[in-house]
Amino acid sequence: MKKLAYLATAVLAGLGFTSTASADVSVSAAQTLMYSSSGSTTGIRSYGSVDFGLSTTTASGMTISSGAGISLGDGGEAGTTADATAYGWDGLTFATGGVTIEVGTDVPLADGVGEVAGIHASAATNDHSGMRSITNTVGITNDEGAGIQLTTAVGSATLNLAYVADTNSDGASSEQLDGATGTGMSAMVSTSVGAVGVTAAYVSHNDTNVDDTESAVAVSYSSDMGDFTVGYGSSTGANDGNVISVAYSMALDADTTFATSYKQAKDADGDSENVFEVSISRSLGGGASVYVDMISLTGDADVDGTAFGFGTSVSF
């Protein structure tokens, strides 16, 4: 991390930026190397990213921040080619007086609150090892685009409101809002009742083809026995169905974590898909860790089966 920060400072200085400006740039990076297997499909995956955090503080105390990065994906389905991608610089976030406002072309709506499962250390374990992702997923057609998001405290709760004026822009550098074909909005509230954390959200999306809604809630509890989370969500429209999910994790020792999760999604016809996952990871210090993942997909899925993966992840 320090070497990357020094490199960023040198690069920015070479481009004519002052030392004051470079002090507001943070750099982080990560890479994963893994082996995965599902049935007769096996492979070695290697992918990573470099992320830049950009921020400054005005004379009035307002913080303005943004970010960007470069990533090499894990290649999609087994046997396909990974693509290098540049992302970010799709908006600005303004924070002052306990209120945060994001304005840009990649503003997210608060969908997916009820899907707390998915504890794998690497997404490549299930997404790119011959397994297909679950198709009966609850959610809306498009969940991000050009718009505005506000986050603030309301008593002991946190309120998040988002409005997307054009869901088709999704990270574009510019967009004509008068040509928008899809809009969305969401409201999410997070609070705690004693030792129990509660998050509830409502999302809607409207376009020329279909109107979607999603309602979801998640409840979490932490104890000496581990961390428990339960979620439930239902949606109407393009993805008409419901989902229930459960996740659990616990520390086996100071450096080793065990986690497992289960998700069942049903569509309007009653067809269901079930995802069961187990993951064990161990920190090696210095930002490095090793892990073992397993995922099982059953039910009315396109592909039933089990995927297995192990590897190492390093944060620089």
Side-chain angles (χ1 to χ4, degrees):
M1 176 68 182
K2 289 182 179 179
K3 292 181 179 179
L4 285 170
Y6 295 154
L7 175 61
T9 300
V11 171
L12 291 169
L15 293 174
F17 289 91
T18 66
S19 59
T20 301
S22 64
D24 296 325
V25 178
S26 63
V27 186
S28 62
Q31 183 170 352
T32 296
L33 178 65
M34 69 172 293
Y35 167 86
S36 61
S37 173
S38 177
S40 60
T41 304
T42 61
I44 293 178
R45 318 290 179 210
S46 180
Y47 53 96
S49 63
V50 178
D51 293 292
F52 301 88
L54 317 171
S55 67
T56 189
T57 302
T58 67
S60 65
M62 175 185 292
T63 300
I64 304 175
S65 60
S66 183
I70 304 169
S71 70
L72 180 66
D74 49 11
E77 290 291 343
T80 62
T81 302
D83 295 322
T85 304
Y87 53 88
W89 285 306
D90 44 34
L92 289 172
T93 299
F94 306 86
T96 184
V99 177
T100 300
I101 298 176
E102 178 186 355
V103 182
T105 59
D106 196 27
V107 172
L109 299 174
D111 68 322
V113 168
E115 299 190 56
V116 302
I119 49 77
H120 43 262
S122 171
T125 302
N126 63 316
D127 291 342
H128 311 293
S129 192
M131 303 285 288
R132 297 185 183 178
S133 60
I134 191 166
T135 57
N136 292 330
T137 302
V138 168
I140 59 178
T141 305
N142 290 311
D143 60 0
E144 54 196 7
I148 183 171
Q149 177 181 228
L150 179 146
T151 304
T152 187
V154 180
S156 60
T158 299
L159 173 66
N160 178 281
L161 301 173
Y163 174 73
V164 174
D166 187 359
T167 56
N168 291 324
S169 63
D170 191 9
S173 59
S174 63
E175 185 64 27
Q176 282 186 249
L177 297 180
D178 56 3
T181 59
T183 62
M185 61 79 61
S186 67
M188 181 173 65
V189 178
S190 299
T191 188
S192 59
V193 182
V196 178
V198 181
T199 298
Y202 175 80
V203 190
S204 68
H205 174 261
N206 306 287
D207 62 20
T208 56
N209 297 315
V210 66
D211 294 336
D212 306 317
T213 66
E214 179 188 347
S215 302
V217 62
V219 178
S220 61
Y221 177 75
S222 297
S223 71
D224 294 338
M225 298 294 294
D227 299 327
F228 301 84
T229 309
V230 179
Y232 174 81
S234 64
S235 62
T236 62
N239 298 310
D240 191 356
N242 60 78
V243 62
I244 183 169
S245 57
V246 182
Y248 168 74
S249 65
M250 68 173 296
L252 299 180
D253 57 38
D255 299 313
T256 309
T257 301
F258 167 84
T260 184
S261 67
Y262 171 78
K263 176 172 71 173
Q264 181 186 72
K266 291 184 178 181
D267 61 19
D269 297 325
D271 293 334
S272 65
E273 295 180 354
N274 310 283
V275 183
F276 173 70
E277 296 179 82
V278 175
S279 179
I280 299 177
S281 61
R282 180 171 178 82
S283 172
L284 302 178
S289 63
V290 291
Y291 64 87
V292 177
D293 284 346
M294 187 280 291
I295 176 173
S296 175
L297 179 62
T298 60
D300 302 304
D302 296 329
V303 175
D304 288 352
T306 300
F308 169 81
F310 65 88
T312 180
S313 295
V314 185
S315 297
F316 300 95

